[in-house]
Amino acid sequence: MRTLTPAGPAPIAGPGDPTPRRLLLCGVAAGPLFVIAFLVQGALRPHYDPLRHPVSSLALGPGGWVQAVSFVVAGLLTLAFAAGLRRALRRVWGPVLVGVWGAGLICAGVFTADPVSGYPPGTPDLPAEYGSAHAALHDYLSLAGFVALIAACVAFGVGFARDRELGWAAYSVASGAGFTVAMALATVAFSQNPALVAHGGLFQRVAVIIGWAWLTLLALRLLRRRPAGPRTPVGRPRRPS
């Protein structure tokens, strides 16, 4: 019998158990809610330039609690999605990596970043050192989440390739690569590189949208599978042993 891979056609659940599907729905909701939240705030916040400033800077200043809550809510929804992935796929590493990304989001909401690129007004473009332990934790724990998301894209890409779902394999790996490149450009920009600093926020937003789009579409893909009965896995006929 064929061994199921992390991205393979594992059943979501038995017909009488709706819990995994509800958890996967959290993965559908998390990304769009987070993206809408920072797009709206970025457009409305005085003195904030979405092309220049990072998403995390929305948690600074008046009304910053909205972005902090957005981080935490998106992180909790992502943790629920990771649990749904674990139950749907009956694998460990892919769901665990998605869960680390979710935990990183929660930490980004709990621990506030230092100002960068001159926002809020009157702050330095780049502090000489971290202003608080909170700011250091924000950066390091967010970085762990970024790395986990990239690793998740690769892990699922390998799983899809083994399962001969080459379109999804290519999309997963390309998403990880695109996220990596865009986030690297954003990091250089936030370090006040003269050629890139004016577009640091844009690069970061491109990275975040790439990552959330992949997670959202992955959740939708799994939700489209009908609940499996006791016969064969959904998606392919059983092969002889």
Side-chain angles (χ1 to χ4, degrees), residues 9-24 83-90 222-223 225-234:
I12 287 180
D17 183 7
T19 301
R21 297 185 69 85
R22 292 172 179 169
L23 294 173
L24 293 175
L85 284 173
R86 177 71 179 90
R87 295 185 64 170
L89 301 176
R90 292 173 173 82
L222 291 172
L223 280 167
R225 299 185 183 279
R226 61 177 177 82
R231 297 180 182 175
T232 60
V234 176

Side-chain angles (χ1 to χ4, degrees), residues 30-140:
L33 289 175
F34 185 82
V35 171
I36 290 170
F38 74 66
L39 288 178
V40 171
Q41 290 180 86
L44 298 178
R45 185 73 64 86
H47 310 295
Y48 181 90
D49 182 358
L51 296 180
R52 181 183 183 91
H53 299 127
V55 172
S56 296
S57 291
L58 288 167
L60 302 173
W65 66 270
V66 176
Q67 182 57 43
V69 169
S70 177
F71 274 123
V72 172
V73 170
L76 292 173
L77 289 172
T78 302
L79 288 177
F81 175 47
L85 284 173
R86 177 71 179 90
R87 295 185 64 170
L89 301 176
R90 292 173 173 82
R91 296 298 175 189
V92 176
W93 283 111
V96 165
L97 291 167
V98 172
V100 173
W101 161 249
L105 289 167
I106 294 172
C107 292
V110 172
F111 302 111
T112 306
D114 274 336
V116 69
S117 295
Y119 182 86
T123 58
D125 289 336
L126 186 65
E129 57 185 21
Y130 282 114
S132 67
H134 270 234
L137 286 170
H138 176 96
D139 280 2
Y140 290 124

Side-chain angles (χ1 to χ4, degrees), residues 183-241:
M183 193 59 73
L185 289 171
T187 300
V188 174
F190 296 143
S191 298
Q192 306 307 299
N193 180 283
L196 300 178
V197 65
H199 298 98
L202 175 62
F203 294 135
Q204 189 190 57
R205 281 160 174 75
V206 169
V208 169
I209 289 172
I210 288 172
W212 278 122
W214 177 75
L215 288 168
T216 303
L217 292 174
L218 178 63
L220 288 170
R221 177 183 181 275
L222 291 172
L223 280 167
R224 289 194 184 103
R225 299 185 183 279
R226 61 177 177 82
R231 297 180 182 175
T232 60
V234 176
R236 298 172 189 250
R238 186 188 298 272
R239 294 183 180 181
S241 302

